[in-house]
Amino acid sequence: DIVMTQSPLSLSVIPGEPASISCRSSQSLLYSNGANYLDWYLQKPGQAPQLLIYLSFHRASGVPDRFSGSGSGTDFTLKISRVEAEDVGIYYCMQGLEIPRTFGPGTRLDIK
Amino acid sequence: EVQVVESGGGLVEPGRSVTLSCTTSGFTFGDYAFGWVRQAPGKGLEWVGCITSKAYGGTPGYAASVKGRFLISRDDSKSTAFLQMNSLKTEDTALYFCIRQIDRATLADWGQGTQVTVSP
């Protein structure tokens, strides 16, 4: 199975400041079609997870443009340009290249 | 509006079975694959399995932890997907989410989940 790791596992951010989360996979997520099968999800407190970024850098519908994804192969990054209070929650990366799909352990973001 | 709603959860004894349903609306059900993800209390997300659209064979795939015990199916005429859970164990206790997938595996539209508690 592909193992997903994330760092940091928690971060505390002042509103208006940037934040960055790293996700690494144990093998390349680059498919023959040129896409990287790496998605980012946010689970806000008490809610179901929601899709933020798919195929490494595509922003999902309705996701604010302060969220961006980048990376290829085994190293990926989610960036929030200016953190807002509503961004609190746990961020997960997930690989969609192989079955079983696997999630990272999650990164908890809170407001300082 | 896309809607995904899980049902069928509850309290069940170890070794017994339960079937979760995932009813949907707002899109053409048959065009999409569906996934199931669970979350044990206080834990992260665990992928359970998925089923492709009929165009790709309606083929299910499973996590090792549930393979041979869980069965994913779909009824396109009812716009509903199912997760049949057999030989349940206490470690299957979790909130179970059904998700409409896009592309190869992206979990695009999540339901609110249904709780399954396995306890004597």
Side-chain angles (χ1 to χ4, degrees), chain A residues 36-111:
Chain A
N36 283 277
Y37 283 87
L38 186 284
D39 303 327
W40 290 95
Y41 301 89
L42 166 60
Q43 187 172 30
K44 296 183 178 181
Q47 296 185 20
Q50 62 185 87
L51 175 65
L52 290 178
I53 302 288
Y54 63 99
L55 300 179
S56 178
F57 62 87
H58 297 278
R59 203 177 302 117
S61 177
V63 174
D65 61 8
R66 64 179 181 275
F67 290 92
S68 64
S70 64
S72 183
T74 61
D75 291 337
F76 300 88
T77 303
L78 175 70
K79 291 184 178 179
I80 310 173
S81 60
R82 294 174 303 279
V83 170
E84 297 187 5
E86 66 179 22
D87 301 335
V88 165
I90 303 176
Y91 292 78
Y92 297 93
C93 59
M94 187 200 82
Q95 65 81 17
L97 183 68
E98 293 184 355
I99 286 179
R101 316 300 185 203
T102 44
F103 288 93
T107 295
R108 184 180 299 273
L109 183 149
D110 63 29
I111 298 298

Side-chain angles (χ1 to χ4, degrees), chain B residues 26-41:
Chain B
F27 59 95
T28 302
F29 181 87
D31 289 347
Y32 293 89
F34 288 84
W36 290 90
V37 169
R38 68 184 180 183
Q39 187 169 37

Side-chain angles (χ1 to χ4, degrees), chain B residues 58-99:
Chain B
T59 304
Y62 303 95
S65 59
V66 306
K67 197 170 186 178
R69 299 189 299 123
F70 289 12
L71 178 65
I72 298 174
S73 61
R74 59 188 296 153
D75 184 341
D76 289 10
S77 69
K78 296 181 179 178
S79 298
T80 302
F82 302 96
L83 176 63
Q84 181 180 334
M85 308 162 63
N86 303 314
S87 303
L88 282 162
K89 305 176 182 180
T90 55
E91 52 263 42
D92 294 319
T93 294
L95 184 62
Y96 284 76
F97 297 100
C98 175
I99 311 102

